[in-house]
Amino acid sequence: MPAPLRLRLDGDALVRNWQTLDRMSGRAACGAAVKANGYGLGAVEVARRLAGAGCRDFFVSNWREAVELAPLGLAVSVLHGVRDEDMAAARAGIARPVLNTPAQVARWKAGGGGACDVMVDTGMNRLGVSAQDIADGLLDGLEIETLMSHLACADEDAAMNAVQRDRFAALQGVTGARRMSLANSAGIALGHDYAFDLTRPGLAVYGGVPRGELGEVITPVVYPEAEILQVRRVCAGDAVGYNATWTAKADTDVAVVNLGYADGYFRGFSDTGMVFARGQRLPVLGRVSMDLATISLDGADAVSEGDWVSFDYHLLAAALASGMSQYELLTGLGRRFVRIWG
C-alpha cells in the first residue's frame, strides 16, 4: 500500500558528511554511531553505505540493534555493555560489548572473556567504570580493543571539555587497550587533541550541526515529504486547528497535509514550521496535530489535493523553530514514513 508520507534520504550527503568528519579526525580512525536505527534513517542501510565509503567501526546501544546489523559482518560495539540476557549473543561474536560497570566486567570474565571495549567515566557521571576502578585492577586480564569515554559538553565552549580530555589522556598505556576513543561529532570539531585513536561521530553524519565549526561543511541528509489531503479556503476571521491558535486576517487558501507529531513532526512546529511546495516556501498554520498539519497556500501556484510537499528539515534551523534538539528531530521520525534513498 503506497504511504502518504516519505523520507527522501540523500545517501551521497551521508557519505560526504562522514568523509568530512574522517578528514577532521586527522590520524585517528573515524567510526559512526548507528544506534537508534541509524538515528531514525535505517541502521542497516546507513551502515552499508558508510562501510562502502571506508568506515570500519560502528556503535549501537544494545544487542538487539547489534543482531540487526550482524548479516553485514561489520565491527560493531554495543555501548550499553552486556546483561545476563545478552551473553548468548555476545558470545556468538557478532559484536563487542562496551563494559561499563564492575558487574559487567565480572560477567564478561566469568563467561570466558575475549575482545571487548571499556567505557571509563571522566566526569559525565553517566556510564563507565572509574579511574579508581582501573587503578585497583578491575580491568586486569581483559582483552581491551578500545578504551573510551564520552564528552558531556562538547557542543559548548566549556572548561569541562579540557578536564575530561586530560583525565582520559592520563589513562594512555594504563589498561593495555589497543585504542582510545573520546570524541563524538562535536568533539571532533574541538580539535585533534580530542581525537586520540578513534572518533565516534553520530549527529553530524546525519546532517546535524552540534557546533558552529561544522555549519559550513555538514550538509542535510533528511527531507520529510507528505501528501496534501485537502485544499480549502479559510474565510477572514475563521480559525485553523486545535485551540484556534491561528486566525485568518483575510480569506486564505490552505492545505491540510498528511503529517503530524505521531510521525515526529512535533507540536513545536506549530505556527513556526516551513514547507516547500512547487518551489515556494510556505508557513505551517496553527497547531500540528497527531496526524495532520495545515499550511498556507498564499503565494503558491496551482497546488492541489494529492500533491506532495517537502518540510524544511535543515536540522539546526528546525531545532530552533521547534524547540526540540536535533537529536530528537532525527530519532523521532516515525515508522509510517517510507524511507527512500537517493
Side-chain angles (χ1 to χ4, degrees):
M1 181 67 65
L5 65 169
R6 61 199 181 197
L7 287 181
R8 292 217 173 265
L9 303 171
D10 188 335
D12 291 338
L14 178 89
V15 168
R16 285 196 305 272
N17 289 341
W18 179 80
Q19 290 171 333
T20 294
L21 296 161
D22 185 33
R23 288 193 297 272
M24 292 178 67
S25 298
R27 295 181 179 178
C30 183
V34 294
K35 59 186 181 176
N37 193 30
Y39 280 52
L41 277 62
V44 171
E45 186 64 22
V46 167
R48 186 183 68 79
R49 288 173 179 270
L50 295 182
C55 184
R56 294 293 176 263
D57 296 274
F58 297 88
F59 301 89
V60 298
S61 290
N62 59 57
W63 287 91
R64 177 168 288 186
E65 293 180 337
V67 168
E68 184 180 3
L69 292 180
L72 298 180
L74 304 174
V76 176
S77 297
V78 179
L79 293 166
H80 292 181
V82 60
R83 307 170 300 164
D84 284 332
E85 300 92 326
D86 302 322
M87 284 298 293
R91 298 309 306 163
I94 63 171
R96 292 192 307 272
V98 180
L99 305 178
N100 290 287
T101 70
Q104 290 185 359
V105 171
R107 183 175 298 121
W108 190 244
K109 288 180 177 179
C116 63
D117 301 328
V118 172
M119 178 71 70
V120 58
D121 175 41
T122 55
M124 192 173 188
N125 282 301
R126 201 173 59 169
L127 292 179
V129 303
S130 70
Q132 187 60 53
D133 288 332
I134 294 173
D136 291 342
L138 175 68
L139 306 185
D140 291 356
L142 286 179
E143 181 186 342
I144 304 172
E145 172 67 18
T146 307
L147 183 72
M148 60 182 70
S149 191
H150 196 65
L151 293 163
C153 305
D155 57 344
E156 303 173 351
D157 292 326
M160 189 174 180
N161 293 328
V163 171
Q164 286 192 266
R165 178 200 61 202
D166 293 346
R167 288 174 178 171
F168 192 58
L171 297 173
Q172 285 182 309
V174 173
T175 66
R178 191 174 76 82
R179 301 183 300 181
M180 298 185 70
S181 177
L182 177 64
N184 55 6
S185 295
I188 291 172
L190 291 175
H192 289 173
D193 286 351
Y194 290 80
F196 291 87
D197 304 306
L198 171 66
T199 61
R200 312 189 308 272
L203 180 67
V205 174
Y206 305 100
V209 181
R211 285 188 63 92
E213 296 93 331
L214 296 172
E216 298 299 318
V217 296
I218 295 299
T219 56
V221 175
V222 181
Y223 299 87
E225 297 180 347
E227 194 172 357
I228 293 175
L229 291 174
Q230 185 179 35
V231 173
R232 62 188 303 137
R233 166 72 49 108
V234 177
C235 296
D238 285 349
V240 166
Y242 284 121
N243 304 112
T245 62
W246 182 86
T247 300
K249 295 179 180 178
D251 291 355
T252 306
D253 290 327
V254 304
V256 182
V257 182
N258 203 113
L259 180 71
Y261 58 75
D263 306 300
Y265 195 73
F266 297 110
R267 283 184 60 163
F269 285 109
S270 301
D271 288 312
T272 66
M274 300 299 295
V275 177
F276 296 98
R278 295 188 180 275
Q280 322 248 355
R281 195 164 186 261
L282 306 169
V284 172
L285 304 179
R287 284 274 169 85
V288 174
S289 55
M290 183 181 292
D291 309 301
L292 300 168
T294 304
I295 65 174
S296 170
L297 293 182
D298 276 0
D301 297 326
V303 176
S304 60
E305 183 177 323
D307 286 350
W308 288 79
V309 298
S310 178
F311 286 74
D312 186 353
Y313 224 64
H314 188 289
L315 287 169
L316 183 57
L320 292 172
S322 67
M324 310 296 287
S325 76
Q326 296 176 69
Y327 299 89
E328 290 168 302
L329 294 178
L330 282 171
T331 60
L333 293 168
R335 296 177 61 185
R336 295 192 293 195
F337 284 104
V338 173
R339 286 155 170 80
I340 302 172
W341 286 90

